[in-house]
Amino acid sequence: MIISTPPAETAQGHAADMYAEDIADAGFVFAYTRAMAVNPEAHEAFMALIRAIVPSIGVRVYEAATLGAARAIGSPHCLLAHGRKSLRAEVLSGDGLAAFARGDDDGFSAAEQAVVQYAAKLSTDPRGMSDTDTQALRDAGYDDRQIVDITLAAAARNYFSRALLALAVPTDEMPGLDPETAEALRAAAR
């Protein structure tokens, strides 16, 4: 990564908060946090968007959309980070996460699998999206607000993941993931 990121000792405001949160959680500052700390206002706006999305769909559906998009994009950062979050929130078990990395979505419910598939298509063929894709979410039981928020969750993951990939942000080791699962998630990003 060739951009200069704010040093921890001089970071202020939201950037300092970002660093402190990583240190409290993982014991170090992730490379993706350092990259986003270059524009802490943009990161804060991104987090406000996420806080506006999650209440209508819940953490499980948010993580299904996020992981589905991250796998489709090939984002090791987001697969690892949200794999870890999914384990912590008990969205997926360790075996379910490893299976997801290999393309098996059975750790998610049928309705959540519809979200994974929708997020993947949004991430790989957004111009090909049609009412048929939205209808699949409706058929899975999601209402209008939830469909919009699922779309926003997948689109937000595209924004964040693609920014990290474009900036060539290094991928850190992810504490809390066993080595086999972490490697499976990295392989899913290739």
Side-chain angles (χ1 to χ4, degrees):
M1 172 170 64
I2 64 169
I3 61 169
S4 296
T5 62
E9 49 280 351
T10 60
Q12 298 178 4
H14 184 70
D17 294 343
M18 293 165 65
Y19 287 8
E21 185 177 322
D22 276 8
I23 291 168
D25 179 50
F28 65 96
V29 178
F30 289 102
Y32 60 78
T33 301
R34 292 193 318 273
M36 293 299 107
V38 172
N39 185 343
E41 295 82 10
H43 181 265
E44 199 166 22
F46 174 78
M47 294 309 296
L49 173 62
I50 301 308
R51 287 189 299 273
I53 292 168
V54 173
S56 81
I57 59 177
V59 171
R60 288 188 62 85
V61 173
Y62 173 75
E63 291 300 341
T66 296
L67 286 168
R71 185 175 64 189
I73 295 164
S75 172
H77 311 90
C78 295
L79 282 168
L80 290 164
H82 284 276
R84 180 178 185 231
K85 288 179 182 185
S86 292
L87 285 175
R88 287 180 158 186
E90 299 180 358
V91 170
L92 291 172
S93 67
D95 290 340
L97 182 58
F100 175 83
R102 295 187 304 274
D104 176 353
D105 300 339
D106 287 344
F108 288 109
S109 70
E112 293 161 350
Q113 288 178 36
V115 171
V116 170
Q117 293 163 7
Y118 182 90
K121 185 169 181 184
L122 181 150
S123 301
T124 58
D125 186 21
R127 291 181 59 113
M129 300 290 287
S130 70
D131 284 342
T132 302
D133 300 298
T134 306
Q135 188 62 48
L137 291 179
R138 187 171 310 287
D139 292 346
Y142 298 106
D143 65 27
D144 290 341
R145 170 65 189 263
Q146 291 170 319
I147 291 168
V148 168
D149 286 346
I150 290 164
T151 303
L152 290 171
R157 186 54 40 204
N158 272 263
Y159 154 76
F160 200 87
S161 294
R162 292 176 191 277
L164 297 176
L165 292 168
L167 293 169
V169 174
T171 305
D172 296 301
E173 292 298 317
M174 187 58 60
L177 289 179
D178 68 75
E180 295 81 21
T181 301
E183 182 50 39
L185 289 166
R186 281 188 196 87
R190 292 183 196 122

